[in-house]
C-alpha cells in the first residue's frame, strides 16, 4: 500500500488493483491516476492535520477526470486513507 512520506496518510485500490484497474492495456493512464492520487494524499494530509481524531463527515465518493480517462475515489479521513474504487480509461 503506497504511503505518503509526509504523514500517515496513504492510498490503496479497493478492493484490489485488479478489480479496480482490470486488464487495461493503457498503463500510462494508470500511472497518471497513481500520480494524481499521490497529490490528493498530500492535499488531504494538509487539510486534515490529525485525521485519526477527525469527528466530522468524510467527503463522499469523488471523481477526477484526466486526459486519458477518469477515476472515482473515496477519502476516509479517520483512516487517513484514499481508496481508489474505479478507474475508467478512455478507449485507445
Amino acid at each position: 500500500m503506497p504511503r505518503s512520506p509526509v504523514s500517515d496518510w496513504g492510498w490503496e485500490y479497493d478492493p484490489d488493483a485488479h478489480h479496480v484497474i482490470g486488464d487495461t492495456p493503457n498503463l500510462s493512464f494508470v500511472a497518471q491516476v497513481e500520480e494524481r492520487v499521490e497529490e490528493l494524499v498530500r492535499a488531504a494530509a494538509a487539510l486534515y492535520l490529525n485525521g485519526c481524531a477527525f469527528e466530522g463527515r468524510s467527503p463522499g465518493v469523488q471523481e477526477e477526470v484526466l486526459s486519458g480517462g477518469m477515476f472515482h475515489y473515496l477519502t476516509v479521513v479517520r483512516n487517513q486513507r484514499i481508496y481508489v474504487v474505479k478507474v475508467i480509461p478512455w478507449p485507445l
Side-chain angles (χ1 to χ4, degrees):
M1 137 180 37
R3 282 196 171 265
S4 170
V6 295
S7 73
D8 289 331
W9 275 85
W11 70 273
E12 58 192 82
Y13 291 108
D14 184 33
D16 59 49
H18 185 268
H19 180 82
V20 175
I21 298 169
D23 295 323
T24 181
N26 193 345
L27 297 181
S28 64
F29 176 66
V30 172
Q32 267 187 298
V33 168
E34 292 181 354
E35 183 178 312
R36 178 62 183 138
V37 173
E38 286 290 337
E39 293 172 1
L40 293 169
V41 165
R42 289 190 294 276
L47 183 59
Y48 305 104
L49 295 176
N50 189 1
C52 291
F54 183 73
E55 294 183 9
R57 292 183 69 171
S58 289
V61 173
Q62 299 172 68
E63 81 178 22
E64 286 280 324
V65 177
L66 304 173
S67 61
M70 63 186 287
F71 67 96
H72 295 125
Y73 66 96
L74 175 64
T75 304
V76 181
V77 177
R78 292 209 51 175
N79 290 356
Q80 296 185 145
R81 192 70 69 237
I82 292 179
Y83 298 98
V84 179
V85 296
K86 189 167 191 172
V87 173
I88 307 164
W90 305 143
L92 294 175

